[in-house]
Every structure is written in structure tokens, then in C-alpha cells.
Amino acid sequence: MSESAIITTNNVNLWYNGKRALESVSIKIPRNKVTALIGPSGCGKSTLLRCFNRLNDLIDHVKITGEITLDDKNIQESGTDVVVLRKKVGMVFQKPNPFPKSIYENVAYGPRVHGVKDKAELDTIVEHSLRHAAIWEEVKDRLDDSALGLSGGQQQRLCIARTLAVEPEVILMDEPCSALDPIATAKIENLIDLLKKDYTVIIVTHNMQQAARVSDYTGFMYLGKLIECGKTVQIFEHPQEELTENYITGRFG
Amino acid sequence: MTDKFHAELKNLKAETLEMAHLGRFMLRTAVDALIRQDNELASSVVARKEEIHEMEVRIEEHCYHLIALYQPMAKDMRTIACTLKVITASLRIGRYGKVIAKIVEKISDQPHIANLMTIPHMADLVIEMIDDSIEAYEKDSVAGISDFSLRDDTIDSLRQSIFREGITYMMEDPKSITRCTNYILVARYLERCADHACKIAENVYYMNTGERIEIH
């Protein structure tokens, strides 16, 4: 990848309870691009994604070796402030998980935690984030309604807005559309395309057509290893590795 | 679903091979009819023009169905892309067979000039190129098409030599103009068929390797 990398992993290994889940993974994530991670269940793609904001720290008996850098700083170092790291590297999960609060409060929550108290400033952040997440027009007249009353697709875009509110550099998306219908999925995919102008997006997906549609780069993982990573067009038209070819043509997995 | 798709892809290739063989058969038969001055054989070629056209439409639709339903990738995608080119080339080859058969009907009442010059030899070489390109598609192999550039040069040289020879005979005897003009046209059509064999070869190469080559 010739583009400048925002995240780089160098020879990363990870074990859960002594069982190896990642094996010598070295990848460069280009800035302001969408990178998709694909592979069969259990191949380590979500585990790798969670390395980028140290979410694996929350799991007992995890051991990680190797180097992971964000903007050339090693995030594995013991002095790393994970709260700041997770502000820089936001995450959207498989199932929409809004807080049981109003739409407004969902988005304002993060900035408040990070010290923003001024109401006018919070209003601006909320509107800006909801607009960026392409949901403002749908919710602007009911910001005080419960977020739980939104549809699944709207909830997911609200979660994206909540992530954007703390001005991350990178957005991790772990199967963000797998609980959504095709129309809500299309809206999220359009949104991903818009987001890459300002953010770096890394998406884990089981849906290869989705990876092909939304990403600029694709990494294929198998049994904890990164088998191949390259431009999406090249991976889906002419992969270099036979394993990748067999996976994307449905011959296994 | 992927088993079903790969079974469909196998069927698609079988249908395409059938069509490619029909195109090749129409050309071979037309040239045989020309050599033997056999109007009946020539008519049998003309009679198959609808059949090959219908095959092309059917296979093309099959390709679009597979793309729409399965969104193929990598070699599967390249196989369908290649198939779309193979059927176009095969239709053209079959059509040139038909056009040569029509020429047979026009000139069969007069004896050949100079034993058709080198047309029978040129036709053999062109048919061999078509056979090799079809076999490469069938067997997913690029071995038989590696020398296509040289073979295409030979075909171009033969066409030029038939052109020069034809002009010579026409200047010697104006009564030969109709026949010689048609020989030159036949040589031109055969050369175009060799170009279509090259197109098939280029696409089979892409299908198998993902790399593009150009055969001149």
C-alpha cells in the first residue's frame, strides 16, 4: 500500500487462554480509506479489529505480542491512555447499542465525558455529528425522544453519530449491517463512503459483496493469519493467493 | 448456493463450447464447399445462421443471470467475462462461414483459378488456431496459444500473398475478376477469423491468469 498508513501492525500475535487467535499479523491501514477485513468465522478479523482500540484488554487471559502503532505511536505501551485511544479510535458494533436515553443525550454523552459542558457547544456537536451520520433530517424534530424508539438502521446511524461526536481519527465497524435490512444497509454503506473523506474506516464483514462495494483495500484472514491484503479491485478480480481465490469464489468457508 | 453456482458455470462453459464448435464447423464446412464447389453443402451452412445467433443470445442471457444472482468474483468472474467475448467471436466466425458459403453459391459454376491459390492451406491454419483457442477455453490452459502472435503473422502474410496473386490473375484475364475478387474477400474473411481466434486466446489468458496480453 503506497498511501500513508494511520495504523500499522508489526508481527502481532494474540492468544486467548493460551489459544492462538492471531499469528504474525503485519498490516498497514491507509489513512482516509476504507479497509475491509474478510474471512471465515473464527479467522481473527474481529480480534484484529479490537486490537486497534485495545478492546481485547477487557478480556481475561489475553496475551498480545508485537507492535501496533497509531500515528507512529505504539499503543501497546503500558503508558498509553486507553480512554484517549478509544476517543481517537471509535467503534460501531454488530448490533446497534444506543444508550437508553434521548437521541440528543446519546450523542452528547461522549463530549460530556471528555469535558464539554457548554450547552451551545454541545448543540453544535450533536447537530454536526447527526448530519455527518446522515440521520439529522430524520431526527431533528424529536431529539428528546428515546433513542430506543428508532428503527434498527436509524439506531445504527445514531451509534455512528455518537462515535463521531468525540472526533475520532479512525472508526472501527464490526459487522455494522448484519442486523439490518437491505435499505438500512444501503444507507450505512453510503454513509461509509462519505465518512472516508474525514476519517479512516476499518470494517469487518462476512458479506463479501459489501466488502467489494464499500472498501478501497481488503485484507483476507484465515486461521489467525493475514493471508493477503491489497486494493479491493485486485483482491476481488485477481487475488494472488489460492486461499483467497478459493474463499471469495465460495469454494470453502 | 455456491455448489449450484459452480454447476451453472460448468453448464455455461459447455453451452459456450457447443456454440464455439458450431462457429468453427460453419467456417470449415463453407471452405470445404468452396473447394468442392458444392452448393448443397454451402446451403447447409447458410441454414444454420439463425441457430448460432439464438445460441449467442441464450448464452449471453445466461451470463447476465449468473452475474445478477451470484455476483461472481475472481476467476469465476473472469470466466463469465471471457465467455461473453468467446460467444461474440464464435458468432463472427460462424457468420464469416455463412458469408463464404454465399460466395460459393455465386462462383461455383466456373472452374477454380490456380486451385484456389493458397486459400485451402490458409483455411487449415486458421481452423487450427480456432481449435487451439477453443481447447484453451475448455481446458483452462494457455499452453496451446503461446505462439498465436507468430501464427497470426503467417495468416497476414498469406492474405497479402493471395491479394497480390489475385491482382496478377485479374490483370492477365479480365474474365477472372469476379472469381479472384471473391478469393481476395475469402482470404480477408479467413484473416478476420484468425483475429477472432486471437481475441479468444487473449481472453482465455485473462481468464486463467488475471493478466492482460495483446496478440497482434
Side-chain angles (χ1 to χ4, degrees):
Chain A
M1 290 178 196
S2 53
E3 263 116 329
S4 84
I6 185 165
I7 292 177
T8 303
T9 74
N10 188 14
N11 209 18
V12 167
N13 296 278
L14 184 145
W15 291 263
Y16 292 122
N17 277 320
K19 190 174 177 298
R20 201 172 199 174
L22 291 179
E23 194 176 332
S24 306
V25 175
S26 297
I27 188 171
K28 286 181 163 68
I29 305 292
R31 193 181 295 272
N32 290 109
K33 298 284 174 196
V34 179
T35 301
L37 296 173
I38 60 168
S41 296
C43 69
K45 50 194 189 299
S46 291
T47 299
L48 179 62
L49 196 73
R50 288 199 302 267
C51 286
F52 298 145
N53 64 351
R54 282 186 49 179
L55 223 55
N56 291 312
D57 291 10
L58 307 174
I59 303 167
D60 291 335
H61 309 297
V62 167
K63 182 186 160 199
I64 305 177
T65 64
E67 193 182 63
I68 305 169
T69 62
L70 170 70
D71 289 327
D72 299 324
K73 280 178 71 178
N74 188 354
I75 62 169
Q76 290 297 107
E77 281 174 1
S78 54
T80 303
D81 182 340
V82 291
V83 176
V84 173
L85 172 68
R86 288 174 195 152
K87 178 178 175 296
K88 282 186 181 172
V89 184
M91 190 154 188
V92 177
F93 296 87
Q94 189 169 6
K95 228 176 135 216
N97 54 356
F99 303 135
K101 290 170 176 285
S102 70
I103 293 166
Y104 183 96
E105 286 303 322
N106 262 273
V107 184
Y109 190 90
R112 274 212 185 95
V113 167
H114 288 284
V116 180
K117 293 199 175 74
D118 181 62
K119 175 79 169 80
E121 191 181 346
L122 278 173
D123 286 353
T124 308
I125 291 172
V126 169
E127 179 176 342
H128 179 79
S129 305
L130 289 168
R131 280 189 188 280
H132 243 97
I135 191 179
W136 171 252
E137 292 300 325
E138 293 163 61
V139 300
K140 64 182 179 189
D141 299 324
R142 47 176 173 145
L143 292 175
D144 295 327
D145 289 4
S146 169
L148 301 179
L150 297 172
S151 71
Q154 288 172 327
Q155 286 187 9
Q156 194 63 308
R157 278 179 286 144
L158 177 66
C159 291
I160 294 172
R162 190 175 64 189
T163 306
L164 301 182
V166 294
E167 297 179 335
E169 292 178 36
V170 180
I171 304 168
L172 309 177
M173 296 187 172
D174 193 354
E175 297 269 0
C177 303
S178 61
L180 305 181
D181 66 41
I183 291 170
T185 297
K187 285 186 179 168
I188 300 283
E189 288 181 2
N190 289 339
L191 176 57
I192 290 171
D193 201 45
L194 295 175
L195 289 174
K196 73 177 177 189
K197 189 167 147 279
D198 301 305
Y199 309 93
T200 301
V201 178
I202 310 171
I203 178 170
V204 160
T205 176
H206 270 114
N207 182 333
M208 277 181 292
Q209 277 72 38
Q210 180 171 67
R213 283 193 299 264
V214 305
S215 69
D216 302 296
Y217 290 88
T218 296
F220 168 62
M221 296 187 70
Y222 183 67
L223 296 178
K225 290 182 188 165
L226 180 71
I227 303 297
E228 184 171 357
C229 189
K231 286 194 169 165
T232 296
V233 169
Q234 182 248 310
I235 296 285
F236 286 103
E237 270 189 29
H238 179 211
Q240 302 296 308
E241 300 294 328
E242 198 180 345
L243 258 179
T244 317
E245 169 93 28
N246 288 341
Y247 179 71
I248 64 174
T249 57
R251 286 175 171 83
F252 80 90
Chain B
M1 283 305 275
T2 53
D3 287 349
K4 192 179 162 198
F5 170 68
H6 289 124
E8 289 253 24
L9 204 57
K10 215 172 157 187
N11 289 341
L12 181 77
K13 277 191 84 171
E15 288 168 28
T16 306
L17 285 167
E18 193 189 340
M19 181 185 168
H21 284 127
L22 175 58
R24 182 253 188 226
F25 175 80
M26 288 172 73
L27 184 68
R28 175 76 262 176
T29 309
V31 173
D32 288 344
L34 177 70
I35 294 167
R36 305 207 304 249
Q37 299 187 294
D38 186 336
N39 276 339
E40 206 173 313
L41 194 58
S43 302
S44 75
V45 174
V46 176
R48 301 193 78 170
K49 67 172 185 178
E50 292 300 327
E51 186 186 343
I52 195 163
H53 179 69
E54 282 164 13
M55 279 173 124
E56 195 227 7
V57 172
R58 196 173 65 237
I59 296 168
E60 193 179 341
E61 279 177 1
H62 196 172
C63 288
Y64 296 150
H65 283 315
L66 292 182
I67 292 168
L69 295 178
Y70 298 99
Q71 296 98 42
M73 291 180 175
K75 191 173 175 195
D76 294 343
M77 183 276 292
R78 299 198 305 268
T79 299
I80 293 177
C82 175
T83 298
L84 285 165
K85 298 283 188 182
V86 170
I87 58 172
T88 303
S90 299
L91 179 69
R92 300 271 157 79
I93 290 169
R95 270 197 201 152
Y96 281 123
K98 184 206 79 178
V99 176
I100 293 171
K102 290 262 191 194
I103 287 175
V104 175
E105 291 169 351
K106 278 188 221 159
I107 61 171
S108 62
D109 57 339
Q110 288 176 295
H112 289 317
I113 294 167
N115 271 338
L116 282 173
M117 303 184 238
T118 45
I119 286 177
H121 173 61
M122 183 184 181
D124 287 345
L125 297 183
V126 171
I127 297 282
E128 272 173 26
M129 287 178 76
I130 295 169
D131 283 340
D132 288 346
S133 67
I134 296 173
E135 189 179 338
Y137 173 77
E138 181 181 9
K139 295 185 174 166
D140 285 347
S141 158
V142 295
I145 55 176
S146 55
D147 57 353
F148 261 40
S149 214
L150 281 174
R151 289 158 79 177
D152 195 43
D153 287 347
T154 307
I155 298 298
D156 288 347
S157 304
L158 284 168
R159 184 188 67 80
Q160 281 169 18
S161 108
I162 290 168
F163 178 78
R164 282 198 307 271
E165 204 177 341
I167 296 286
T168 309
Y169 285 116
M170 285 192 264
M171 287 195 301
E172 280 173 6
D173 176 9
K175 288 201 286 296
S176 71
I177 288 177
T178 304
R179 278 168 291 168
C180 286
T181 306
N182 280 303
Y183 294 169
I184 290 169
L185 283 172
V186 169
R188 169 74 182 141
Y189 299 149
L190 287 171
E191 186 228 340
R192 292 296 301 135
C193 289
D195 289 344
H196 287 301
C198 291
K199 278 283 158 221
I200 294 176
E202 285 172 1
N203 281 283
V204 169
Y205 193 89
Y206 171 67
M207 175 177 84
N208 282 302
T209 66
E211 311 275 330
R212 293 239 167 237
I213 54 164
E214 205 171 331
I215 301 171
H216 294 287

